[in-house]
Amino acid sequence: MSKANHSESIIPSPSAETEILSGSEALIRSLIAEGVEVMFGYPGGAIMPVFDALYDHKKEIRHILVRHEQGAVHAAQGYARVSQKTGVALVTSGPGATNAITGITDAMMDSTPLVIISGQVASGLLGTDAFQEADVIGVTLPITKWNYQIRRAEDIPWAVSRAFYIASSGRPGPVVLDIAKDAQIDRCPFSYRKTDFLRSYQPVPRPEEEKIRKAAALINAAKKPFALVGQGVLLGHAEEELCAFLEKGGIPFASTILGLSAMPSGHPLNCGMLGMHGNIAPNMKTNECDVLIAIGMRFDDRVTGDLKTYAKQAQVVHFDIDPAEMDKNVKTTVKVLGDARQTLPIVTQLLEKQTHEAWLSSFKPYAEKEYACVIREELFPQNGGAIKMGEVVNKITEATHNSAICVTDVGQHQMMATRYFKYTRSRSMVTSGGLGTMGFGLPAGIGAKYGAPDRTVCIFVGDGGFQMTIEELGAIMEYNIDVKIILLNNQFLGMVRQWQELFFDERYSETHLKNPDFIKIADAYGIRGRKVTERKELDGAIAEMLTHKGAYLLEVVVETKGMVYPMVPAGGCVTDILIGNGHKI
């Protein structure tokens, strides 16, 4: 269906009762109609009419002025991930839009519902290399779920309605609306209708009864079932349905990084985290189970390792909403297409009540070995020495009673946080998964606090990634955002250094960092901070951070050459696990 046909069917003819508004006012009214309460952005020439219209609607929509457009999109991501709403970012044309590209790509990889609105030069100047013109539609085509350039004011309500529906339905993702400046200024009749159907778009496949029965039969017959829990459970709001499914079937499970917190960390069937730096037991048992049940996850290479050796003994049941993920990486025995919130209960009804006690108990020796060889010394070092990343994470999660939101940047600290932070509530882990974006943490933490203002937000950053978006301390200062920033400072680009040590003969090329005085920088932004170098100071500093009302930077100087173990080398077999000092499982 063409744009003109859509416009004719949705935009009414002018009448005495129809309001005539500028395109910018129509945009703001459309956002209000979609329930937008907060958005993140940065003004500029080509989006100035929209910011002018926003001036009259500050009570309805709160705009957070970030310090860089990448920060705007990451903040919108953090907001979306914890609030269950669509995040919104507002940027100008040219460099404003291109600065947002990293965040848009990150959101696409991690299925985060966003609407990014960019200004554009006037429609008559398109294609002339006008000042701050960039081909936003061409650039964002492969990294969005949908994008659209608006050249007429009357198309704005239609496009916004469609954008929010596409971004939030089915498998979520980012949508870009690129609005020409004359469309923002011109006037048009305004009427808004929410989209709930598009003829060419089926966001949720209809479950197939035959596949449901086959899945249940396979699981009922399994002696060693094992479930892999991904972010699709969280995106589908299917946490309760997942719990009922796992408990009735007595099925042990582990989570992808983005699936963490879908189930409480302390659940008796929870065997930990999957993947390169995941727990030993679930990685080993992936290649021992007889039925592998993937729920809302995409078999990323950091989870599977070498596909030629991954779970070859198992029959695979894959629950997912996106047909494109089926058989993309791992060949499945049964494909259960549909929303997990709908499909899991149907399968659960057909399951026999089981416990699989012997199978579950077989995970314990691996867990005990991991604790003895890796975890105990990381969390409770016995021989003094420098502070370890893991012990900092563990002390903070315990001090928050495992109820805080954990936001991370990317690197060694990210893996330590995902391994050792614990969860009692859903939507408590916010991190960059598929793209691995350094600089994600600080702005995402800002968005997370707006998405869940009543919860404690702990942002774990490394000294490398922190400096990529450190300017967002300005937004924290301006809006007095109560986030707790934990800087684990090892004076290295730690994860790259780890790979250099293991795979590049300890040739530490351009990974050592000469860092500034971070506490002075925080102080310049009016943010309270404390630097800890001795283990004996750590408990008191954590207590001070958590009781302080307002933003706080806790810098902890950790061991310079710490390692994240266990580790499955890239491209290796998922059971080929390093546990330190050259030793393997």
Side-chain angles (χ1 to χ4, degrees):
M1 184 180 289
S2 71
K3 181 194 73 172
N5 288 338
H6 273 298
S7 300
E8 290 166 6
S9 65
I10 291 180
I11 300 171
S13 300
S15 68
E17 293 78 23
T18 303
E19 287 187 276
I20 305 298
L21 305 176
S22 70
S24 295
E25 180 68 18
L27 173 64
I28 300 301
R29 297 274 195 97
S30 299
L31 295 176
I32 293 170
E34 288 291 342
V36 176
E37 297 175 339
V38 61
M39 60 183 177
F40 308 87
Y42 203 94
I47 198 67
M48 204 174 297
V50 173
F51 276 89
D52 183 67
L54 184 63
Y55 189 86
D56 295 324
H57 293 278
K58 292 183 178 180
K59 291 183 179 180
E60 295 110 317
I61 298 181
R62 185 170 190 184
H63 177 270
I64 306 304
L65 177 65
V66 295
R67 299 311 191 255
H68 191 281
E69 291 87 357
Q70 180 180 347
V73 183
H74 289 330
Q77 287 178 271
Y79 176 84
R81 294 270 285 274
V82 303
S83 70
Q84 304 184 27
K85 299 177 181 177
T86 300
V88 180
L90 183 62
V91 302
T92 193
S93 65
T98 57
N99 282 345
I101 294 301
T102 297
I104 296 169
T105 310
D106 193 285
M108 187 67 176
M109 290 285 281
D110 288 352
S111 302
T112 306
L114 299 184
V115 172
I116 299 94
I117 300 165
S118 60
Q120 184 55 275
V121 301
S123 56
L125 295 175
L126 289 169
T128 68
D129 292 330
F131 178 67
Q132 292 193 332
E133 181 187 3
D135 182 5
V136 174
I137 298 302
V139 170
T140 61
L141 182 62
I143 56 169
T144 52
K145 195 174 175 187
W146 182 61
N147 66 7
Y148 187 78
Q149 186 171 78
I150 303 172
R151 302 183 185 186
R152 304 188 307 166
E154 55 264 37
D155 292 337
I156 288 174
W158 167 83
V160 171
S161 175
R162 185 181 176 111
F164 274 85
Y165 177 62
I166 292 173
S168 61
S169 59
R171 181 179 181 173
V175 168
V176 167
L177 296 179
D178 189 46
I179 310 180
K181 193 169 185 180
D182 50 328
Q184 301 170 39
I185 296 170
D186 291 346
R187 302 180 71 79
C188 64
F190 177 75
S191 178
Y192 197 80
R193 182 186 305 167
K194 283 194 175 185
T195 299
D196 58 11
F197 171 77
L198 292 173
R199 190 175 64 182
S200 59
Y201 172 58
Q202 185 183 5
V204 182
R206 185 173 298 174
E208 297 180 42
E209 187 176 339
E210 180 186 358
K211 300 296 178 63
I212 294 286
R213 287 199 307 270
K214 285 185 176 180
L218 268 182
I219 296 167
N220 283 331
K223 302 300 182 184
K224 300 178 180 180
F226 183 42
L228 315 180
V229 175
Q231 189 190 199
V233 172
L234 294 157
L235 295 172
H237 317 303
E239 294 93 332
E240 292 183 7
E241 291 78 7
L242 171 69
C243 185
F245 168 81
L246 295 170
E247 289 181 349
K248 187 174 182 181
I251 303 167
F253 72 92
S255 300
T256 67
I257 285 178
L258 295 181
L260 290 170
S261 83
M263 292 282 286
S265 302
H267 193 282
L269 293 172
N270 194 339
C271 299
M273 186 175 81
L274 299 160
M276 177 177 283
H277 293 289
N279 296 106
I280 292 173
N283 281 335
M284 296 295 291
K285 291 298 181 178
T286 295
N287 277 15
E288 294 181 32
C289 66
D290 56 2
V291 175
L292 188 66
I293 308 158
I295 308 169
M297 56 87 71
R298 59 188 179 86
F299 289 110
D300 177 77
D301 62 288
R302 288 295 173 95
V303 166
T304 66
D306 184 3
L307 287 169
K308 295 178 181 177
T309 59
Y310 182 77
K312 291 302 179 183
Q313 81 296 336
Q315 297 189 82
V316 178
V317 178
H318 193 174
F319 291 80
D320 210 280
I321 201 169
D322 186 355
E325 292 300 336
M326 297 298 185
D327 293 330
K328 186 178 78 174
N329 295 322
V330 173
K331 297 300 179 183
T332 57
T333 310
V334 180
K335 308 171 184 64
V336 184
L337 276 169
D339 187 332
R341 195 173 185 180
Q342 298 172 354
T343 57
L344 283 174
I346 301 173
V347 175
T348 302
Q349 288 180 346
L350 301 175
L351 291 187
E352 300 166 1
K353 178 68 176 175
Q354 301 193 62
T355 58
H356 298 293
E357 291 180 4
W359 168 238
L360 183 59
S361 295
S362 73
F363 284 70
K364 292 179 182 178
Y366 288 122
E368 290 169 355
K369 183 165 188 178
E370 182 176 349
Y371 184 84
C373 296
V374 177
I375 297 175
R376 181 170 54 199
E377 185 59 25
E378 184 64 40
L379 302 190
F380 312 106
Q382 302 297 306
N383 301 316
I387 301 171
K388 293 179 176 288
M389 289 187 184
E391 70 175 303
V392 178
V393 173
N394 185 60
K395 284 179 178 292
I396 290 173
T397 190
E398 288 186 345
T400 61
H401 308 291
N402 303 329
S403 63
I405 293 173
C406 176
V407 183
T408 85
D409 208 89
V410 169
Q412 283 185 315
H413 71 277
Q414 176 193 30
M415 294 298 101
M416 289 296 187
T418 53
R419 280 182 55 80
Y420 298 120
F421 211 84
K422 300 294 184 283
Y423 314 98
T424 55
R425 299 176 62 178
S426 180
R427 293 183 174 264
S428 294
M429 165 53 69
V430 180
T431 193
S432 173
L435 197 63
T437 303
M438 290 180 68
F440 175 88
L442 190 62
I446 291 172
K449 187 63 180 179
Y450 279 101
D454 296 331
R455 297 186 65 186
T456 299
V457 174
C458 295
I459 308 171
F460 289 90
V461 295
D463 43 318
F466 183 45
Q467 293 182 81
M468 287 192 171
T469 50
I470 197 170
E471 73 280 348
E472 299 310 334
L473 292 176
I476 293 172
M477 172 184 66
E478 179 163 345
Y479 300 101
N480 191 26
I481 304 170
D482 185 5
V483 289
K484 312 307 179 186
I485 307 162
I486 302 96
L487 168 59
L488 301 179
N489 185 353
N490 60 5
Q491 301 176 65
F492 267 102
L493 298 176
M495 189 57 81
V496 183
R497 186 212 58 76
Q498 176 165 332
W499 282 51
Q500 289 173 334
E501 178 171 330
L502 292 174
F503 311 118
F504 291 87
D505 299 321
E506 300 183 27
R507 292 160 59 88
Y508 301 128
S509 177
E510 303 303 322
T511 46
H512 181 266
L513 295 175
K514 182 176 182 180
N515 288 318
D517 187 327
F518 291 110
I519 302 302
K520 283 185 178 179
I521 291 174
D523 184 63
Y525 283 102
I527 296 171
R528 188 167 175 176
R530 179 172 173 179
K531 183 175 183 177
V532 171
T533 58
E534 300 289 336
R535 183 170 281 109
K536 62 185 179 182
E537 305 171 13
L538 190 54
D539 288 337
I542 291 171
E544 179 182 309
M545 173 184 71
L546 293 175
T547 55
H548 174 70
K549 296 191 182 303
Y552 193 104
L553 173 64
L554 174 60
E555 178 186 1
V556 184
V557 178
V558 296
E559 56 183 341
T560 57
K561 293 188 178 181
M563 302 288 278
V564 184
Y565 288 119
M567 180 181 183
V568 178
C573 177
V574 74
T575 59
D576 185 15
I577 303 172
L578 304 178
I579 57 173
N581 299 321
H583 298 301
K584 296 182 179 180
I585 285 294

